[in-house]
Amino acid sequence: MAHDQLQTIDLVIIGAYLVALVLIGVHFMKKVKNIGDYYIAGRTFGPIVMMATVCATIIGGSGLMGRAGVAYSDGFKAVMTALPYLLGMFIFSGIAGRISSIGFQHNVSSMPELFERRFGKTAKIILGGMIAFTMMGTVASQVTATATIISMLGGEVGLSYEVGALIACIVFMVYTATSGLFGVVYTDVVQFFMLLIFVYILIPVASLYTVGGFSNFTANLDPALVKPQINGDILGDIVTYLVFTLAGAEMWQRAFAAKDQKSAKRGMFLGTFVYGITIFLVFFMGLIAHQIIGDDILGQYGSTDATVPALAIAVLPVGLTGLALAGILSVIMSTADSYLLVSVQTCVHDIVKTFNPQLKEKNEIRLSRIFAIVLPLGALVIALYIKNAYSILMFAWSFYAAAAGLPAFAALYWRKATKSGIIAGMISGFTVCVGWKLAGMPFGLGATVPGAIACAIALVGVSLATYKKQPSGFLEVAKK
């Protein structure tokens, strides 16, 4: 089915889906009774809900559309950069139970709050600023992915990329601002099943049917696209993904929101397992797009992010096309709302309230809803400047992984970590990473690698030099 044959019913389905998301946010607004409900949903999530929200959050616009675009243009690189994130998430699943227990036993609800308990307000503010910017950059990558889909339909309804980005921001604003984590997670559950059925099952099956079966697909496959490759840039992405998982604030929030330690661990493991399966399905969709759409998606649509939506439009009949595009939108929305809410929590609860500890809970919720409207505007600016979801994601994640990944792990497990060591590690990691990028990434090596090394040296060296004179409190977890 050609792009210019997209039917009105498909557009109606997509529009109805976006309206439904807004209505879900408004519905769950009445469940928000206090700030704990808004940020961590009252710590009520069991393993199945955890699985759905973890998986839906991981496989966002950059994880689906961006990575499929990488598979289309660079082949096996899409797998090589996804597997480290998978490994990192399995490691994080193992520590999620401890995070949940710290939350319950010490009344901690965020990473910066843990840093404050162990290392003081300065460490909290530094980490909070990094999280806020990183999460906003990640939201921008989802705005870009959504705008790409909407602009693909522009020929039908007269919408440009810029208008599509604005529409995406408005939807993100409304249902995140109104309902907090309740609305975010329960829309994630709906979106999880939407994406499994209409994206990860329907599109690959229809694509194979279109090319005449798996044997025809392999016979016409360019061998260069499935050849493993490694270079400095790919190595940088690998280290970024692996280290980022230790400090992914959106997953820490999920662990804090679990109803108990077992739910946190099981939900994380299950969600990560499902993500592992999708890696190869996304890779497959990027490869088969060459045989169905052609070798010039960039020329046709302006971005390789369009690979999966273009594939859906090409292989699916009327009606199912709309459902598949709604499924693609669902996975983007699920990531955007998660990162937006973490950014809001960091700005209001972890930064503003640190300077204004007398802020009343009612005013904190109101201020959080205001920030949920303001922050997406920053994401919109980034999305209009960098119109590629994967590029935006790696821009946002690289310096954060270098500066916060190892300190987050140390905050959980290393008794000898000190305030001076943690601050030195974060500043060194950030400075070296940014400096490496500004220097043009010497030797073609991704900036996260030297940044993470600098962070580790400063964190360990300074902590060992100061822990006897400046010991930090360690949050013990009682075994049940």
Side-chain angles (χ1 to χ4, degrees), residues 231-237 436 440-447 449:
N231 56 40
D233 186 47
I234 294 175
L235 180 61
D237 286 358
W436 197 265
M441 293 196 294
F443 315 111
L445 183 63
V449 179

Side-chain angles (χ1 to χ4, degrees), residues 42-364:
R43 305 187 196 272
T44 58
F45 298 142
I48 300 303
V49 172
M50 285 287 293
M51 174 198 70
T53 186
V54 166
C55 187
T57 299
I58 294 174
I59 313 168
S62 51
L64 172 63
M65 293 174 58
R67 196 173 299 285
V70 172
Y72 177 86
S73 59
D74 296 308
F76 204 74
K77 176 184 176 180
V79 175
M80 294 192 67
T81 54
L83 291 179
Y85 188 86
L86 178 68
L87 174 61
M89 278 304 303
F90 275 124
I91 294 172
F92 183 82
S93 298
I95 68 177
R98 178 172 175 81
I99 295 172
S100 175
S101 296
I102 286 176
F104 272 105
Q105 296 178 25
H106 298 278
N107 194 30
V108 174
S109 61
S110 70
M111 279 181 61
E113 206 169 325
L114 170 62
F115 271 53
E116 181 182 28
R117 297 287 186 89
R118 286 209 61 188
F119 311 118
K121 291 183 179 179
T122 302
K124 177 185 182 181
I125 296 299
I126 293 173
L127 178 64
M130 291 182 180
I131 290 175
F133 180 79
T134 302
M135 298 299 105
M136 188 170 66
T138 309
V139 173
S141 71
Q142 312 311 306
V143 171
T144 297
T146 306
T148 297
I149 293 178
I150 294 176
S151 65
M152 288 178 67
L153 310 178
E156 312 296 331
V157 294
L159 298 178
S160 65
Y161 172 90
E162 289 73 19
V163 174
L166 181 60
I167 292 173
C169 277
I170 292 172
V171 175
F172 297 165
M173 287 175 186
V174 173
Y175 77 95
T176 303
T178 52
S179 61
L181 193 60
F182 270 120
V184 166
V185 167
Y186 285 107
T187 53
D188 278 358
V189 174
V190 174
Q191 291 161 344
F192 172 73
F193 290 104
M194 282 281 292
L195 96 97
L196 280 185
I197 296 170
F198 296 112
V199 178
Y200 287 106
I201 295 176
L202 195 61
I203 296 177
V205 169
S207 297
L208 274 179
Y209 177 80
T210 301
V211 299
F214 191 76
S215 59
N216 283 344
F217 163 68
T218 55
N220 294 296
L221 181 62
D222 181 356
L225 293 173
V226 293
K227 181 180 179 181
Q229 55 179 303
I230 188 73
N231 56 40
D233 186 47
I234 294 175
L235 180 61
D237 286 358
I238 288 172
V239 174
T240 297
Y241 279 116
L242 184 59
V243 180
F244 180 89
T245 54
L246 299 175
E250 77 293 348
M251 292 304 165
W252 278 65
Q253 184 187 52
R254 296 302 188 274
F256 284 129
K259 67 179 182 180
D260 53 43
Q261 181 177 350
K262 288 184 179 179
S263 295
K265 292 183 70 172
R266 290 175 182 173
M268 287 286 176
F269 271 117
L270 289 171
T272 302
F273 175 77
V274 175
Y275 162 64
I277 297 172
T278 68
I279 289 173
F280 297 96
L281 292 172
V282 170
F283 180 53
F284 169 76
M285 286 188 277
L287 297 181
I288 203 168
H290 279 281
Q291 300 177 24
I292 296 174
I293 303 168
D295 296 326
D296 192 26
I297 283 181
L298 185 62
Q300 294 180 59
Y301 300 107
S303 172
T304 56
D305 287 349
T307 298
V308 175
L311 196 59
I313 293 170
V315 302
L316 297 177
V318 174
L320 288 181
T321 302
L323 288 171
L325 292 177
I328 296 170
L329 284 172
S330 75
V331 73
I332 299 169
M333 303 289 184
S334 66
T335 300
D337 56 28
S338 298
Y339 284 93
L340 176 56
L341 186 60
V342 171
S343 185
V344 170
Q345 180 184 13
T346 302
C347 288
V348 178
H349 185 71
D350 295 322
I351 297 178
V352 173
K353 199 170 183 180
T354 299
F355 292 104
N356 183 17
Q358 305 304 318
L359 184 66
K360 294 181 179 180
E361 187 171 69
K362 182 179 179 180
N363 292 334
E364 185 176 351

Side-chain angles (χ1 to χ4, degrees), residues 1-8 10 156 313 318:
M1 176 180 174
H3 173 63
D4 60 6
Q5 294 176 317
L6 197 66
Q7 300 296 307
T8 302
D10 297 314
E156 312 296 331
I313 293 170
V318 174

